[in-house]
Amino acid sequence: MGDTTRRPSVVLLHGGPGLPDYLDGIAPMIADLAPVYRYDQRGTGRSPWQGRHSLARHVEDLAELLDAWELSEAVLIGHSYGAGLASRFCLRHSDRVRAVLLMCGPFVGDWRTEERAERGRRMSAAQQQRLRELEELPQRTEEQEVELLTLAWFADHSDPERGWHWAAEGALRRRPVNWSMNAELGAEGRADPLDGHLADLRARLPARTEILGGVDDPRPMSALESLALQLGAPLTRIEGAGHEPWLEQPDEVHAHLRRFVHDAVVGR
């Protein structure tokens, strides 16, 4: 989106892993400032793939895309798993990153324990039981898959009523989910977490590195605060927003993204 003859360019990295790109609402916020590239990660959406997945392969996919787009460097904006992917790309190809914004990730430390507890507080006992039942099914119908994803995602948001609407909508649009990709990359990430690479990452990150998170994300803000401290990067907290802050606080996120991209493009 935007004038692709202009440089530098922005590349959006969606989360998952295992979901197709869903950052179509972000791109128009900044496309007048710099061209914005989006892509479905290997094995999702319009990027079919039947082989095994690895974090290294996904990092090199991005490098190959930059080559194909004739971009010597880019401004990276990663969300959730995409923030982790952006971080791992910086470890391997720091010379190709002009600036990076990490949105709602990556989380460090034992954040999953607190996340599970918070999700338990946001869901009724019946909802938790139904989610477990759906997860344990060897195969699911289309209706069951939509129900599972809605239950899994609605607690990501600050507002439960609007969160249910967004989750149900996402369960229809962000499909199909590549569950094997999710399992493979999730297992590799747990075996080799970014926690062990933060000193190296801090040395390789561009000078313009920022972190943004929703205060009401069930994933604990304290994990992003720890990340910001260890990376020496500024952290912006979006009040009244969860894991997709542009949905609940669009004006604030819009202003932040435009300021970040503007400064990255003009080098201020």
Side-chain angles (χ1 to χ4, degrees):
M1 179 177 286
D3 181 359
T4 57
T5 65
R6 297 175 62 186
R7 298 289 185 270
S9 300
V10 175
V11 178
L12 301 183
L13 306 176
H14 66 82
L19 301 179
D21 172 71
Y22 52 79
L23 298 177
D24 51 317
I26 296 291
M29 295 181 180
I30 53 177
D32 63 315
L33 301 175
V36 181
Y37 290 82
R38 297 160 42 215
Y39 69 98
D40 292 323
Q41 292 158 12
R42 175 185 297 265
T44 71
R46 291 173 291 176
S47 299
W49 171 250
Q50 298 300 319
R52 290 192 60 80
H53 291 271
S54 72
L55 295 169
R57 177 65 267 172
H58 281 246
V59 165
E60 295 312 310
D61 282 348
L62 177 53
E64 291 180 20
L65 283 168
L66 295 186
D67 290 341
W69 294 329
E70 299 181 346
L71 303 178
S72 60
E73 65 173 2
V75 176
L76 301 183
I77 299 178
H79 174 251
S80 195
Y81 164 74
L85 177 57
S87 300
R88 292 182 187 271
F89 186 84
C90 289
L91 286 170
R92 181 69 179 83
H93 299 285
S94 59
D95 59 314
R96 305 199 67 173
V97 184
R98 182 183 182 98
V100 61
L101 175 62
L102 306 174
M103 288 202 300
C104 306
F107 294 88
V108 298
D110 182 23
W111 58 271
R112 291 182 179 84
T113 298
E114 189 170 338
E115 182 203 17
R116 285 192 292 269
E118 180 59 28
R119 286 189 183 279
R121 286 189 286 269
R122 298 184 186 192
M123 299 176 70
S124 69
Q127 288 171 331
Q128 294 178 60
Q129 176 60 30
R130 180 55 177 163
L131 180 57
R132 285 192 294 269
E133 291 172 355
L134 291 167
E135 289 173 334
E136 292 169 0
L137 291 175
Q139 291 185 319
R140 287 184 290 271
T141 65
E142 169 71 11
E143 183 178 356
Q144 289 169 334
E145 184 79 351
V146 169
E147 184 184 5
L148 179 147
L149 294 174
T150 304
L151 284 166
W153 292 343
F154 87 93
D156 277 341
H157 304 282
S158 177
D159 183 326
E161 285 192 18
R162 291 195 299 167
W164 188 270
H165 167 75
W166 286 319
E169 185 179 68
L172 294 172
R173 295 179 58 223
R174 301 178 186 182
R175 301 285 305 284
V177 178
N178 189 328
W179 291 109
S180 61
M181 172 183 171
N182 180 275
E184 289 168 16
L185 294 183
E188 185 180 352
R190 290 188 294 274
D192 181 25
L194 274 169
D195 301 52
H197 304 279
L198 293 182
D200 193 17
L201 180 59
R202 179 169 183 163
R204 295 176 182 273
L205 284 171
R208 193 171 304 284
T209 295
E210 297 185 22
I211 304 169
L212 180 149
V215 171
D216 295 330
D217 193 334
R219 302 153 187 83
M221 177 58 67
S222 59
L224 286 185
E225 292 169 344
S226 176
L227 177 71
L229 181 63
Q230 294 182 71
L231 296 182
L235 168 64
T236 298
R237 302 164 178 82
I238 306 295
E239 298 283 347
H243 195 57
E244 298 176 40
W246 62 89
L247 293 178
E248 295 184 278
Q249 300 297 336
D251 292 342
E252 189 171 350
V253 173
H254 178 270
H256 185 93
L257 287 175
R258 290 188 64 80
R259 192 271 310 156
F260 172 80
V261 172
H262 174 270
D263 290 354
V265 168
V266 302
R268 292 176 58 184

